[in-house]
């Protein structure tokens, strides 16, 4: 038997997909929505997987500090030097910053915070979401 909890959060970000054949190759932004699911086989002394406040002060704070209102770019994107020189808040990824790869980035960060995360879902829009889980 396992228990699962999920927390949803919002963040705004800009990105572009330089190899995309359509309009996503242009710099644009999203009002992103994230759902993080955490698993435990047991409950703590308070009868919980963990306190939701721990998620808020951990991975949610990281998303707010490090992703919200940042531009997320691929490390080989030719716009990277220009935007860095302009003083923009930039997140540099080793992969194209698709919703799939942003979900993986958040998943890996949550794991590094010792959260037993099972999946991360990122919505770029109200109708389009990508999920990463191991």
């Amino acid at each position: 038997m396992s228990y699962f909890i999920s927390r949803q959060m919002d963040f705004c970000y800009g990105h572009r997909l330089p190899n995309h054949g359509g309009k996503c190759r242009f710099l644009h932004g999203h009002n992103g929505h994230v759902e993080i699911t955490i698993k435990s086989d047991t409950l703590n002394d308070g009868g919980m997987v963990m306190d939701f406040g721990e998620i808020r002060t951990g991975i949610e704070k990281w998303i707010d500090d490090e992703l919200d209102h940042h531009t997320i770019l691929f490390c080989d994107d030719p716009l990277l030097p220009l935007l860095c020189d302009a003083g923009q808040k930039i997140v540099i990824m080793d992969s194209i910053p698709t919703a799939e790869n942003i979900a993986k980035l958040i998943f890996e960060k949550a794991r590094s915070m010792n959260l037993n995360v099972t999946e991360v879902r990122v919505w770029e829009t109200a109708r389009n979401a990508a999920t990463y889980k191991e």
Side-chain angles (χ1 to χ4, degrees):
M1 180 181 297
S2 297
Y3 300 92
F4 298 86
I5 62 170
S6 296
R7 180 154 172 97
Q8 296 182 8
M9 56 211 80
D10 298 308
F11 72 108
C12 300
Y13 67 98
H15 76 153
R16 75 183 204 111
L17 311 178
N19 298 335
H20 193 274
K23 62 185 177 180
C24 292
R25 73 182 180 275
F26 299 110
L27 195 59
H28 63 283
H30 292 285
N31 292 318
H33 184 76
V34 179
E35 181 176 47
I36 296 175
T37 301
I38 297 169
K39 173 187 173 186
S40 180
D41 293 332
T42 60
L43 299 178
N44 64 20
D45 291 340
M48 300 180 280
V49 169
M50 68 185 305
D51 190 303
F52 286 108
E54 293 177 62
I55 299 169
R56 189 178 62 253
T57 60
I59 189 65
E60 187 170 351
K61 182 177 183 329
W62 180 82
I63 290 170
D64 190 51
D65 292 346
E66 303 297 329
L67 296 180
D68 187 47
H69 284 83
H70 285 62
T71 301
I72 306 171
L73 295 175
F74 179 48
C75 60
D76 290 337
D77 193 312
L79 290 181
L80 186 58
L82 176 67
L83 292 173
C84 286
D85 289 346
Q88 296 298 298
K89 292 181 176 181
I90 304 293
V91 174
I92 302 169
M93 293 186 65
D94 291 334
S95 55
I96 303 292
T98 59
E100 295 87 343
N101 286 324
I102 293 169
K104 182 180 180 186
L105 173 72
I106 295 169
F107 182 99
E108 289 174 345
K109 184 61 180 181
R111 278 274 170 100
S112 78
M113 295 175 158
N114 296 316
L115 294 174
N116 190 23
V117 61
T118 60
E119 73 176 41
V120 171
R121 179 168 290 142
V122 173
W123 282 267
E124 280 191 337
T125 69
R127 294 182 289 193
N128 298 324
T131 302
Y132 182 83
K133 58 183 169 180
E134 290 183 344

